[in-house]
Amino acid sequence: MTKKIFAINAGSSSLKFQLLEMPSEIVITKGIFERIGSSDAEFTIKYGTEKEQKTLPIQSHQEAVDNLLNVLISKGIIQSLNEINGVGHRVAHGGEEFQDSAIINESVLQTIENLNHLAPKHNPVNVIGIKAFRAALPNVKSVAVFDTAFHHTIKPEVYNYPIPYKYYEKYRIRKYGFHGTSHEYIYKTITSLLDKREEGYKIISCHLGNGSSICAIDNGRSVNTSMGFTPLAGLMMGTRSGDIDPSIIPFIAEKEHKSNQDMNKLLNNDSGLLGVSGISNDLRDIEEAATNGNKRAELAIKMFVNRVAETISAYVSNLNGVDAIVFTAGIGENSATIRSLICKKLSFLNLTLDEKKNGSSEAFIETSDSRVKVAVIPTNEEVVIARDVLRIKQETNPYQSVLQ
Ligand code: ADP
C-alpha cells in the first residue's frame, strides 16, 4: 500500500518540506517557507508542473505548517489530512543518545531538547518544527532523523580528541559528525550501482556543498568523518574555516580584542572560501574570478582541493583501501573542475578520471583502467528521512541523557 510521508527540515526562519509517495519515492509536492517571523515571508511550492510563489505574513513555524496543510487541500494536492501517514523531521544533533532515527514521543522530544547545547542554532528550531507538526497532525506518526546517527559506528580512538579526558566525561566533547543522511544515501545508492559481491564495499563519500564533509564507509558503517564536535571541523567550506591550528583562535582574539562569540562568527561565517577569496562563498563566483586571473580566488580553490584530497587520502588509510569515491552536493555534483583537480591529486591510487565523462551527466566518471571507481550521485536527504519514517517501527527508548 502506498503511503504519503512528509520530510521536514526546519531552520531558524525557514521550513523546507517534501511530501513523498512511498515506497515509490515519488515527490508529490515540495517547497519552502522563508523569512518566517516577518510580514513578508516567502512561500514557494511546486507540484506536478506547477510552481507558485507568494509573499505573505507568517509569524511562526506553527503558522507556516497550518498554512501548508491548508494549501495542500485547497490545491487538491491531497483531499484530506487523513492521507498523511507520517512526518519525518531532520534533527541536527542526536548526541550519543540517538544511534538511529526515533519515533517521537514526549521522552524523545525531551532528550532532543536536552541536546540543545550541542547544536544551539539547530536543535531548538528542529524541535519547534516537530511541535508545530504534532499540533497540526496529532495522530500522525512522527520520526526524528538525526544528522549524527549514521556516524555512531565510529570508534573511540577516532572520535575522541586528545584533550583532558574529563571533558569527554563531563561535556561529551567528541567527534559526532554530520550529513549522516546524505552519506547513508550515497552509500546505498553507489552500492546498488556496483556489482553484487560477498564482501562489503569501501566507499569514500564526499559531500561538497556550502557545508562540506567526507565520510569513510566500510560495508555500510561510518568509520570516520571530517566534521567533528560541530560542523565547523574538517574541510574548508563556503564560510567555515574547517580545521585550523587551535592556537590561532586565542591569538587573534587577543590581538583584535574579540570575544568568544566574535571568534565563533569569524570561523563560521567569515572564513573558508569567502574568507580566503574575499569574493564570495559561492564556488561559481570564485571559479569565474579565478578564470579571470584573480590570485586569491585561485588560492582559495587550491586550498579547498588540497584539503579534500588530503582527507580522502587519510580515509583510504582508515579503510585500508577504497573501491569508490563519490562526489555529491552543490560543488560535488556540479563542478567538473573541482572533481578533476581533486582526482589529479589521487593518481597515486591508480585512479584516473575520464575527463569526457566528468563533463557529462554519467554516474561513473573514471577511465576503464582506473583502479578506483569515481561517481557523481545527487544526494537526497529527504528520501532517507521518508524511508526512515517507514522503517522505524518501534518506539526506541533513548538512554537517559548523561547531561540531564
Ligand atoms: P548547502 O546545502 O550546504 O547549503 P549546496 O549543497 O546547495 O549547499 O551547495 C551549494 C554550493 O554549491 C554553492 O555555494 C556553490 O558554491 C556550489 N555550486 C552549485 N552549483 C554549482 C556549479 N554549477 N558549479 C560550481 N559550483 C556550484
Side-chain angles (χ1 to χ4, degrees):
M1 207 186 85
T2 64
K3 301 212 163 180
K4 290 181 180 144
I5 307 287
F6 264 124
I8 301 299
N9 187 351
S12 55
S13 64
S14 69
L15 186 93
K16 239 194 214 172
F17 62 90
Q18 273 195 17
L19 183 66
L20 295 107
E21 184 190 281
M22 299 298 282
S24 65
E25 300 181 353
I26 293 168
V27 178
I28 300 166
T29 179
K30 66 176 179 179
I32 186 167
F33 288 87
E34 292 165 287
R35 292 201 301 271
I36 292 173
S38 74
S39 52
D40 56 352
E42 197 82 31
F43 174 47
T44 310
I45 183 165
K46 292 181 189 165
Y47 54 101
T49 51
E50 305 285 320
K51 178 180 171 179
E52 285 182 30
Q53 205 159 10
K54 61 179 173 181
T55 307
L56 72 175
I58 298 270
Q59 294 311 328
S60 66
H61 285 75
Q62 187 67 60
E63 251 183 63
V65 172
D66 295 340
N67 203 292
L68 169 63
L69 296 175
N70 284 336
V71 168
L72 293 189
I73 291 185
S74 67
K75 302 273 177 212
I77 298 169
I78 56 172
Q79 308 307 316
S80 132
L81 294 183
N82 294 333
E83 289 172 37
I84 296 167
N85 304 103
V87 185
H89 294 271
R90 174 181 181 228
V91 179
H93 217 305
E96 291 190 321
E97 283 74 359
F98 295 102
Q99 304 197 346
D100 197 354
S101 302
I103 292 186
I104 297 165
N105 55 25
E106 287 312 317
S107 130
V108 164
L109 209 48
Q110 185 58 56
T111 311
I112 296 172
E113 290 193 292
N114 291 343
L115 294 167
N116 278 353
H117 65 289
L118 289 178
K121 286 214 185 110
H122 297 103
N123 271 31
V125 293
N126 297 152
V127 168
I128 289 172
I130 291 172
K131 287 184 172 167
F133 271 91
R134 269 163 59 97
L137 301 168
N139 300 318
V140 175
K141 171 184 179 185
S142 61
V143 170
V145 180
F146 301 92
D147 253 18
T148 48
F150 183 63
H151 303 298
H152 82 272
T153 44
I154 294 178
K155 295 208 165 108
E157 61 268 35
V158 177
Y159 71 61
N160 271 290
Y161 291 111
I163 58 173
Y165 194 72
K166 66 179 176 193
Y167 296 119
Y168 169 64
E169 293 175 320
K170 206 168 166 187
Y171 303 117
R172 290 288 175 251
I173 293 177
R174 51 161 284 181
K175 176 183 284 211
Y176 290 100
F178 299 86
H179 288 146
T181 45
S182 175
H183 293 305
E184 181 183 339
Y185 179 82
I186 292 303
Y187 180 81
K188 290 203 167 132
T189 309
I190 182 79
T191 50
S192 74
L193 297 174
L194 295 170
D195 297 334
K196 293 263 169 297
R197 74 177 193 198
E198 280 287 302
E199 68 198 288
Y201 281 103
K202 296 172 194 285
I203 304 294
I204 297 179
S205 163
C206 305
H207 180 115
L208 309 179
N210 203 21
S212 296
S213 77
I214 301 187
C215 183
I217 310 169
D218 195 355
N219 195 13
R221 297 165 74 83
S222 169
V223 300
N224 203 351
T225 192
S226 57
M227 284 179 170
F229 179 59
T230 71
L232 179 58
L235 304 174
M236 173 176 176
M237 308 184 210
T239 59
R240 293 182 211 144
S241 63
D243 291 346
I244 60 167
D245 179 340
S247 306
I248 295 167
I249 301 165
F251 186 92
I252 295 180
E254 198 179 322
K255 294 272 181 210
E256 303 267 324
H257 311 291
K258 287 187 186 291
S259 65
N260 286 340
Q261 234 179 355
D262 296 336
M263 289 309 297
N264 230 343
K265 183 179 167 296
L266 186 147
L267 297 171
N268 274 292
N269 304 345
D270 309 332
S271 297
L273 290 170
L274 171 67
V276 174
S277 71
I279 295 167
S280 166
N281 65 318
D282 193 310
L283 185 77
R284 286 165 288 201
D285 301 334
I286 299 170
E287 282 185 339
E288 194 187 326
T291 309
N292 294 329
N294 184 302
K295 293 290 170 215
R296 271 179 47 198
E298 266 176 42
L299 175 66
I301 290 173
K302 283 184 180 163
M303 287 169 65
F304 180 84
V305 166
N306 244 334
R307 191 62 74 89
V308 172
E310 261 172 30
T311 308
I312 293 173
S313 308
Y315 288 3
V316 174
S317 155
N318 283 173
L319 290 168
N320 198 18
V322 60
D323 294 304
I325 295 170
V326 187
F327 291 101
T328 193
I331 297 172
E333 290 167 30
N334 295 301
S335 179
T337 314
I338 292 288
R339 291 194 298 262
S340 172
L341 291 169
I342 293 168
C343 289
K344 283 201 176 90
K345 290 185 174 284
L346 300 170
S347 59
F348 72 97
L349 296 170
N350 291 327
L351 175 162
T352 37
L353 214 56
D354 180 326
E355 289 298 349
K356 208 163 147 214
K357 287 183 181 166
N358 185 33
S360 75
S361 55
E362 286 192 45
F364 287 99
I365 57 171
E366 78 285 352
T367 57
S368 56
D369 59 350
S370 176
R371 287 272 300 279
V372 180
K373 294 208 165 281
V374 185
V376 181
I377 297 177
T379 194
N380 194 335
E381 290 162 289
E382 287 78 12
V383 156
V384 176
I385 293 173
R387 285 177 190 166
D388 275 8
V389 175
L390 295 187
R391 180 176 64 82
I392 300 290
K393 296 261 187 279
Q394 284 175 359
E395 300 209 357
T396 31
N397 280 322
Y399 327 132
Q400 281 299 94
S401 169
V402 282
L403 300 167
Q404 272 176 34

